[in-house]
Amino acid sequence: MFSYTIFILLLPLLSFLVLGLLGMKMSHKAAGLIGTTSLGAVTCLSYLTAFQYFSMDRVNGIYQTLVPYNVTWLPLGELNFDLGILLDPISVMMLIVISTVSLMVHIYSFGYMHGEKGFQRYYAFLSLFTMSMLGLVLATNIFQMYMFWELVGVSSYLLIGFYYPLHAAVAASKKAFIVTRFADMFFLVGILIFGYYTHSFSFSFAGDVVMGEGTAAFLTCEPARIAAAAGFLLPTALTLMFIGGAGKSAMFPLHIWLPDAMEGPTPVSALIHAATMVVAGVFQVARMFPLWIEYAPEAMSIIVWVGVVTAFYAAAVACAQSDIKRVLAFSTISQIAFMMVALGVSLPGHHGAVLDNHAQLGYMAGMFHLFTHAMFKACLFLGAGCIIHAVHSNEMAVMGGLRKYMPVTHWTFLVSCLAIAGIPFFSGFSSKDEIITACMEYSPVVGWIMTGIAAMTAFYMFRLYYGIFWGTENKEAHAHHTPHEAPAVMTVPLIVLCVITVGVGVYTTIAGFAGWGGSFGSFVSASGQDYTIHFNTQIALTSTVIAILSICLATYIYKGEQQPIADRLYKTFPRLHRAAYKRFYQDEIWQFVTHKIIFRCVSTPIAWFDRHVVDGTFNFLAWGANEAGESLRPWQSGDVRQYAVWFLTGTVALTLILLSI
């Protein structure tokens, strides 16, 4: 039934090969059409897959895990390396997210990247990235996930460094590549530990996977090996894998690459750093959730507190940034941390590994927020691209009053800000409210901390909104270049993403209060069974009131043409403001650690040992062999008379030795 899903990977791969090899012989329009048409077909196939999958009859109330395509790539005894396609609720949901956002970015890029040198190369890299991300979410096993995980890293490196003549873009791409590779080292070590002790790369040991006709069934772990490894090794392996996910999802302190990645084209920021690549770590934890929940539930507290610290840190930094893309970048870090916390507060039920409603709530809320955040954050980034396209700057200082010039961008940006702030009838309200409810059930302390961070989110997003569209208009800057609305090819994707944000928000808000089925929990839940969302009225009202108060505070401070309160706060707390603006000196701390400690105290002694001891030993052996050769060379002169002399001398010497014995 799902044999066509292989084309979801093959079409963007083919697009990448065609554009990569032949793109420079095409016009910009032809290259863009090939990439966009390919993604359009992938999007249609993804929606068809979702419709057919979620229309299937459930078995015991649970959506089945299907493998329509799977081959054994490398058979190594009991441990096979498989490649294939796995369909379950979260992978099908991710197909919708990736294909929708990627298609909007492809269409949007027609206008934003118009006339750019390397236009064909840009679309080739977009196809490569999309294929890599689709392969990651469709992977049938951890090893395949890791392969596409690394391809995602490579393609993000290429896209971030697209403007390679600019030093900042090159430095940002290298920084992203190095930091994520450092984290991926832990991911790989975790995979090796996991595979060595379990003889399996499966995401779950339940063995409830339905293999398609003609597919090769991959091996699952024996119960005895599970029991032997579960005590210490599986939690260790899963924690190491989480570090890899934390690097990809920019969790503190491995977040330092993401703000600099804004040096890439703005559509790349929308695609990679808002909707897809940075949620790879969240998806990794969700994919291996059965292993976490059964074999390492205590270790899930690591996920919770890493997420809490990251969410607060990023929100605090976002309150002081002036570059609109960096505000959105730190907002992304904070929102990804919300998803991580939601997964971390999902604990086993009261009967062993049976999942109760509380455990389902955290998992479902994290996946739901992944879906909603992808749509409104992509809309925010693409809206930021329209603004940058109009004023030719990322700084809020040259903006202000743009609502008069850019009505479509203004309204779509406002809707997305309301969504991320958690206002009812916008999609972010439903998902974020469920996360806070799950956190309250886990620990009131965590719940109130996350509520406070949600309030900070509403504040800094409306600080950004008023700084761009209200405030004081920079007439001097606008005199040289009057701002204007972006062309339709750029505004239509904004409208589409905005409609999704409002549509999902209206339905889920009403359904959550009325107790209707058919919302997100009916498709994606921890146990696989239908989970009807029921809002906790007290928490919903509390979080809504706090969000509205935060918006009112931002309105009071930043809406007017003058901001005396903001100026007074800056003068009162200049060091705090500068520290937040400088990201609390995390880059400087990493620079000190790497250069002053690692390079000087570790790398330099190792390099000296390598040059003087290792190289010296082998150089000595080479010198000794050379000298021995030079000493023996005269013996191989080719002079027969000399050979006769040596022969007679040796004969006489041997004779004398024998006679003396």
Side-chain angles (χ1 to χ4, degrees):
M1 183 177 180
F2 294 99
S3 58
Y4 60 83
T5 51
I6 189 66
F7 292 103
I8 293 177
L9 293 181
L10 293 181
L11 284 174
L13 175 61
L14 180 62
S15 173
F16 164 68
L17 293 175
V18 170
L19 295 177
L21 296 175
L22 305 176
M24 296 307 295
K25 298 180 180 179
M26 304 176 185
S27 65
H28 287 196
K29 185 177 181 180
L33 283 174
I34 289 174
T36 306
T37 303
S38 170
L39 254 296
V42 169
T43 304
C44 292
L45 291 175
S46 298
Y47 277 82
L48 176 62
T49 302
F51 176 77
Q52 291 187 339
Y53 182 82
F54 289 120
S55 298
M56 293 175 58
D57 293 332
R58 303 189 186 192
V59 177
N60 297 322
I62 298 175
Y63 286 113
Q64 291 181 294
T65 300
L66 307 177
V67 177
Y69 180 84
N70 189 71
V71 295
T72 300
W73 179 43
L74 289 175
L76 297 176
E78 296 182 5
L79 187 61
N80 292 343
F81 293 90
D82 294 335
L83 297 176
I85 291 176
L86 184 146
L87 299 178
D88 71 343
I90 61 170
S91 65
V92 175
M93 181 271 292
M94 287 299 296
L95 285 181
I96 298 299
V97 171
I98 296 168
S99 61
T100 301
V101 175
S102 183
L103 180 61
M104 294 301 104
V105 168
H106 274 72
I107 296 171
Y108 180 93
S109 296
F110 261 103
Y112 190 88
M113 301 298 292
H114 178 71
E116 290 279 3
K117 183 180 178 181
F119 187 88
Q120 302 94 326
R121 173 169 52 90
Y122 170 80
Y123 269 89
F125 292 163
L126 282 185
S127 296
L128 175 63
F129 173 82
T130 306
M131 185 275 297
S132 304
M133 196 66 205
L134 290 169
L136 189 155
V137 301
L138 292 174
T140 61
N141 57 82
I142 301 173
F143 180 77
Q144 182 184 346
M145 173 186 275
Y146 182 75
M147 289 177 56
F148 284 99
W149 185 281
E150 293 303 316
L151 275 176
V152 168
V154 171
S155 50
S156 66
Y157 166 79
L158 296 171
L159 284 168
I160 295 168
F162 175 76
Y163 296 124
Y164 61 87
L166 301 178
H167 174 74
V170 174
S173 64
K174 290 191 293 186
K175 186 176 184 179
F177 191 80
I178 292 170
V179 173
T180 53
R181 291 297 74 69
F182 172 74
D184 291 349
M185 174 186 67
F186 294 94
F187 189 8
L188 179 58
V189 172
I191 292 174
L192 295 176
I193 293 173
F194 183 90
Y196 181 79
Y197 284 100
T198 66
H199 286 217
S200 173
F201 287 129
S202 297
F203 297 121
S204 172
F205 301 141
D208 55 354
V209 178
V210 179
M211 308 298 292
E213 184 178 353
T215 61
F218 47 85
L219 299 178
T220 57
C221 183
E222 297 175 6
R225 289 203 187 98
I226 299 174
F232 172 74
L233 295 169
L234 277 182
T236 301
L238 290 171
T239 302
L240 290 171
M241 293 184 205
F242 168 69
I243 295 175
K248 193 74 78 180
S249 290
M251 294 292 99
F252 184 91
L254 299 172
H255 66 282
I256 55 173
W257 65 271
L258 184 58
D260 294 82
M262 298 300 108
E263 295 294 338
T266 302
V268 170
S269 302
L271 177 62
I272 299 181
H273 308 112
T276 52
M277 174 183 170
V278 292
V279 300
V282 178
F283 178 82
Q284 180 222 71
V285 175
R287 168 58 75 211
M288 291 185 280
F289 189 75
L291 299 175
W292 280 99
I293 208 77
E294 189 166 359
Y295 302 110
E298 295 83 5
M300 293 180 74
S301 60
I302 298 173
I303 300 175
V304 174
W305 289 106
V306 168
V308 169
V309 171
T310 302
F312 176 76
Y313 164 81
V317 174
C319 291
Q321 299 301 300
S322 59
D323 183 318
I324 62 173
K325 287 179 66 176
R326 280 178 167 74
V327 174
L328 295 177
F330 280 101
S331 170
T332 296
I333 296 172
S334 184
Q335 297 305 303
I336 297 298
F338 266 84
M339 302 171 204
M340 285 290 193
V341 171
L343 292 174
V345 298
S346 300
L347 296 174
H350 303 301
H351 304 287
V354 177
L355 294 170
D356 61 7
N357 285 343
H358 163 46
Q360 290 204 54
L361 176 60
Y363 180 92
M364 182 279 300
M367 292 295 96
F368 190 18
H369 198 57
L370 188 157
F371 178 86
T372 59
H373 174 263
M375 301 304 168
F376 59 68
K377 183 54 67 66
C379 185
L380 286 168
F381 263 111
L382 296 182
C386 292
I387 296 162
I388 295 168
H389 186 264
V391 302
H392 303 290
S393 175
N394 293 17
E395 293 293 327
M396 282 191 283
V398 300
M399 300 174 191
L402 292 183
R403 69 188 187 282
K404 297 178 293 184
Y405 304 101
M406 309 177 71
V408 176
T409 303
H410 167 238
W411 285 109
T412 54
F413 203 93
L414 175 59
V415 167
S416 299
C417 286
L418 291 170
I420 196 173
I423 301 301
F425 302 105
F426 297 93
S427 61
F429 165 76
S430 304
S431 56
K432 188 174 291 185
D433 183 78
E434 294 298 88
I435 291 177
I436 293 174
T437 303
C439 291
M440 287 290 186
E441 292 288 338
Y442 175 82
S443 166
V445 174
V446 174
W448 281 110
I449 291 175
M450 298 309 291
T451 301
I453 297 171
M456 294 171 67
T457 302
F459 175 80
Y460 69 67
M461 286 306 302
F462 274 84
R463 169 183 174 269
L464 175 67
Y465 165 72
Y466 286 121
I468 295 171
F469 296 104
W470 295 77
T472 305
E473 180 181 351
N474 192 323
K475 296 183 178 180
E476 182 179 352
H478 295 173
H480 298 288
H481 184 82
T482 304
H484 56 84
E485 186 59 272
V489 73
M490 295 171 66
T491 55
V492 167
L494 297 182
I495 296 172
V496 171
L497 294 169
C498 185
V499 168
I500 295 173
T501 298
V502 175
V504 171
V506 169
Y507 181 81
T508 55
T509 301
I510 297 174
F513 284 113
W516 295 351
S519 58
F520 190 84
S522 299
F523 303 102
V524 177
S525 66
S527 66
Q529 296 180 337
D530 190 356
Y531 179 81
T532 301
I533 296 175
H534 293 281
F535 288 145
N536 184 314
T537 305
Q538 181 179 354
I539 293 176
L541 289 176
T542 302
S543 61
T544 301
V545 169
I546 291 175
I548 292 174
L549 290 175
S550 299
I551 294 173
C552 291
L553 180 62
T555 303
Y556 178 66
I557 295 176
Y558 295 106
K559 183 183 177 182
E561 293 192 0
Q562 303 295 328
Q563 290 91 35
I565 298 177
D567 295 338
R568 196 179 309 126
L569 288 172
Y570 172 74
K571 292 178 181 178
T572 306
F573 306 102
R575 293 184 178 179
L576 178 61
H577 180 275
R578 179 163 180 79
Y581 182 79
K582 297 289 288 183
R583 313 170 195 176
F584 293 102
Y585 306 103
Q586 286 299 303
D587 284 332
E588 288 77 5
I589 292 172
W590 273 104
Q591 196 82 349
F592 175 82
V593 170
T594 53
H595 285 74
K596 302 297 184 181
I597 299 178
I598 297 177
F599 290 172
R600 178 179 296 178
C601 301
V602 179
S603 300
T604 301
I606 291 175
W608 182 91
F609 183 84
D610 180 64
R611 286 194 302 269
H612 294 85
V613 178
V614 178
D615 288 352
T617 299
F618 285 97
N619 289 338
F620 174 77
L621 293 175
W623 173 83
N626 185 63
E627 290 299 314
E630 291 292 337
S631 301
L632 295 174
R633 179 183 294 178
W635 296 6
Q636 301 291 330
S637 64
D639 188 345
V640 177
R641 292 173 298 177
Q642 188 180 26
Y643 292 165
V645 170
W646 282 111
F647 178 77
L648 292 174
T649 303
T651 302
V652 171
L654 287 173
T655 302
L656 293 174
I657 292 172
L658 292 173
L659 290 175
S660 63
I661 295 175

